[in-house]
Amino acid sequence: MAALKFHVLILAFWATLLIPCSSLGDSGLKKRHAALYVFGDSLFDPGNNNYISTTNDYKADWSPYGETFFKYPTGRFCDGRLIPDFIAEYAKLPIVPAFYPRIVDYTYGVNFASGGAGALNETHKGFVIPLNYQLHNFKNMEKHLRHNLGDAKTYTLLSNAVYLISIGGNDYFAPFATNCSFFETHSQEEYVGIVIGNLTNVIKEIYNNGGRKFGFTKLPPLGLVPSQRPGNKGTCVKEVTSLANIHNAVLPKHLEKLKSKLQGFKYSIAKLDTYLTERINKPSKYGFKEGKSACCGSGPYGGIYSCGGKRGVTKYQLCANVSEYVFFDSFHPTERVYQQLSMLWWNQVPNTKEPYSNLKELFEV
Ligand SMILES: *[C@@H]1O[C@H](CO)[C@@H](O)[C@H](O)[C@H]1NC(C)=O
Ligand SMILES: *[C@@H]1O[C@H](CO)[C@@H](O)[C@H](O)[C@H]1NC(C)=O
Ligand SMILES: *[C@@H]1O[C@H](CO)[C@@H](O)[C@H](O)[C@H]1NC(C)=O
Ligand SMILES: *[C@@H]1O[C@H](CO)[C@@H](O)[C@H](O)[C@H]1NC(C)=O
C-alpha cells in the first residue's frame, strides 16, 4: 500500500514537470471558472493584517479567534469562516487566500481585505490597508498575471471573475474616535458622498481592468453591535446609525446609476442591515439564544473590545457555546451567522423592486 502511494506521488511529480513552465504558478485556467477577488474590511479580512505593521486593535491572530473551524487563529475577526470563505465553497473554488505574505497562484482568487480599513485613506491611517491601496495590490497582481498568462487570458480571467467588496463601516466609526461632535461641523450626506465617491473610483478601476461582476454588502446595523450598547464608553450610537442608514440608502441608487453608465456592469447587494437586525432582535427565530451580547469580550454586553486579552484589557469572558451567539466579539458576527448570511446571498431571489442578481448567477461563466 505504502509503495503504491509512493509511485502515484512520483507520477504526479513528473506530470507537473511536463506542464509548460509558464502555467506552473497560475495554472487555474485549464477549467472554466469564475475566480473570486475580495476587497474590504474586517468582515472579509482573512489575515492580511498579520503582515502589516499595526497594533493589536487591528489584528485577531490569537486564540480564541479561529477556534471553531480552523482550530488556530488565522487573523480572521471571527471564531471561524467569513462570508468570502463560504462563497468560495459554494462556487466550488478553493478557499481564497490572503494577498499577504505571498501567493503563487492568483487564478482562483485573492483576498485583499484589511481589518479596520475604509474607503478613505484617512480612516485609521497608518494601521490598515486602505481600499485605495488594496486596489494598488490588485493592479500589481494583474501585472503578474499578464506576465504569466498574457494579456488576453488575463482579461478573460478578470472579466469572468466576481469581486466582493465590504467597505464603509470604519469610515463612519473613525471620526468618533475622540468624541461625537464631528458632524456638528460636517454634513453627514456630504461625508457619505465622499466615501461612496472613493468606492466608485475603485469600482471603475476594477472595471477598466476587465471586472464586470460585483457583490456589495450593505453596512451592518452599526449602532446595534455590542460595543455600541449602553454602558460602553465612547459610543456615538445616534450618529453612527444615521450615517449607516444614509450609506445604505444611497449605495443601491448609486449602483443603479453606475450600471447605466458602465456597459456590462452587473452587481448583487447583500442586505446585511436587515439580515443582521432580524437576528439581533429575534435570535430564537434563527436558532440563536443571544442576539445582543458578544460571546467573547468584557464589560456590558461584552462591548469592550478585549476578546483574547491582547488589546490592552487582559481580562475577558468567553461563552460556553458560540453557536448560540449572533456576535463573536464586540464588533463581529459569529461564523454561524456568516454562514446563514452567505447562503441567503448566494440564493437571494431577485424581485422587480430590487433587480439584483444573486451571487450564484454572477458566478455562472
Ligand atoms: C489614497 O492613497 C493612494 C495610495 O495608496 C493614492 O494613490 C491616492 O491618490 C490617495 N487618494 C486620495 C483621495 O487621497
Ligand atoms: C471633539 O472633537 C472635535 C473635533 O472633531 C473638537 O473640535 C472638539 O474640541 C472636541 N470636543 C471635546 C469636548 O473634546
Ligand atoms: C475621496 O476621498 C478624499 C478624502 O480622502 C476626498 O478628498 C475626495 O474628494 C474623495 N473622492 C471622491 C471622488 O469623492
Ligand atoms: C450549542 O448550541 C447549538 C445551538 O443552540 C446547539 O445546537 C448545540 O447542541 C449546542 N452545543 C452544546 C455542546 O451544547
Side-chain angles (χ1 to χ4, degrees):
M1 196 57 202
L4 182 62
K5 254 193 204 152
F6 189 56
H7 275 100
V8 174
L9 272 178
I10 290 183
L11 277 176
F13 178 70
W14 281 105
T16 49
L17 285 189
L18 292 175
I19 298 172
C21 278
S22 65
S23 62
L24 255 180
D26 298 304
S27 59
L29 291 186
K30 276 169 273 156
K31 213 175 65 204
R32 270 161 73 84
H33 71 275
L36 175 58
Y37 298 103
V38 182
F39 299 80
D41 51 28
S42 58
L43 261 51
F44 285 2
D45 182 359
N48 282 309
N49 280 10
N50 294 349
Y51 298 96
I52 63 171
S53 140
T54 186
T55 68
N56 283 355
D57 283 348
Y58 303 98
K59 285 167 86 171
D61 65 337
W62 51 80
S63 169
Y65 287 105
E67 292 280 314
T68 302
F69 181 76
F70 301 98
K71 308 293 174 199
Y72 60 91
T74 62
R76 285 171 178 75
F77 297 77
C78 185
D79 58 301
R81 288 162 289 179
L82 308 176
I83 289 175
D85 299 320
F86 288 110
I87 299 305
E89 183 193 320
Y90 303 156
K92 302 197 167 59
L93 294 168
I95 235 172
V96 175
F99 180 70
Y100 295 119
R102 191 179 74 91
I103 6 181
V104 236
D105 190 343
Y106 295 106
T107 54
Y108 286 103
V110 181
N111 188 330
F112 301 95
S114 163
L120 305 186
N121 287 354
E122 290 82 359
T123 294
H124 301 144
K125 196 178 180 119
F127 296 103
V128 302
I129 310 157
L131 185 62
N132 282 315
Y133 201 82
Q134 295 177 29
L135 177 72
H136 166 87
N137 286 338
F138 171 77
K139 286 182 180 169
N140 279 342
M141 176 201 76
E142 195 254 358
K143 268 189 221 138
H144 172 99
L145 283 170
R146 277 198 287 149
H147 177 79
N148 279 10
L149 305 172
D151 293 356
K153 274 187 179 169
T154 298
Y155 191 83
T156 305
L157 171 69
L158 296 184
S159 53
N160 284 335
V162 174
Y163 299 81
L164 298 188
I165 307 181
S166 155
I167 206 79
N170 293 302
D171 297 302
Y172 302 126
F173 276 127
F176 304 121
T178 44
N179 65 47
C180 299
S181 66
F182 183 80
F183 288 101
E184 284 168 15
T185 48
H186 295 75
S187 147
Q188 293 193 358
E189 282 76 10
E190 268 174 37
Y191 187 79
V192 171
I194 292 170
V195 169
I196 291 190
N198 276 264
L199 169 60
T200 305
N201 283 345
V202 171
I203 297 169
K204 284 184 179 159
E205 293 275 349
I206 296 171
Y207 179 90
N208 290 340
N209 284 283
R212 292 294 178 270
K213 305 187 283 184
F214 291 80
F216 302 95
T217 53
K218 280 199 186 182
L219 294 178
L222 300 182
L224 297 182
V225 304
S227 72
Q228 304 298 302
R229 292 278 172 192
N232 288 301
K233 267 193 288 183
T235 58
C236 309
V237 181
K238 221 175 58 194
E239 292 82 353
V240 143
T241 301
S242 156
L243 286 160
N245 288 342
I246 297 172
H247 178 100
N248 285 341
V250 171
L251 181 69
K253 286 187 198 145
H254 190 78
L255 292 173
E256 252 333 89
K257 245 191 265 164
L258 215 49
K259 192 176 168 182
S260 66
K261 278 196 215 140
L262 306 177
Q263 213 200 342
F265 177 77
K266 290 185 199 168
Y267 67 95
S268 167
I269 300 181
K271 293 176 229 159
L272 295 195
D273 51 345
T274 49
Y275 290 169
L276 264 170
T277 304
E278 285 166 4
R279 283 161 181 78
I280 293 166
N281 292 335
K282 293 202 180 80
S284 59
K285 193 173 159 194
Y286 302 92
F288 300 94
K289 284 196 179 137
E290 178 56 55
K292 294 187 171 67
S293 295
C295 164
C296 186
S298 49
Y301 300 91
I304 297 173
Y305 192 37
S306 58
C307 181
K310 298 276 168 74
R311 299 191 188 100
V313 179
T314 51
K315 284 218 174 96
Y316 69 98
Q317 284 90 46
L318 181 64
C319 67
N321 185 352
V322 62
S323 299
E324 295 172 345
Y325 282 72
V326 171
F327 285 101
F328 182 61
D329 70 15
S330 339
F331 290 98
H332 306 102
T334 54
E335 174 184 86
R336 188 153 176 244
V337 167
Y338 280 140
Q339 185 163 30
Q340 292 184 359
L341 306 190
S342 304
M343 194 44 97
L344 282 168
W345 197 5
W346 184 254
N347 288 313
Q348 185 162 276
V349 184
N351 63 45
T352 46
K353 252 177 77 193
E354 294 171 329
Y356 324 127
S357 343
N358 57 43
L359 274 187
K360 194 169 152 191
E361 285 170 24
L362 288 187
F363 274 92
E364 282 157 15
V365 180

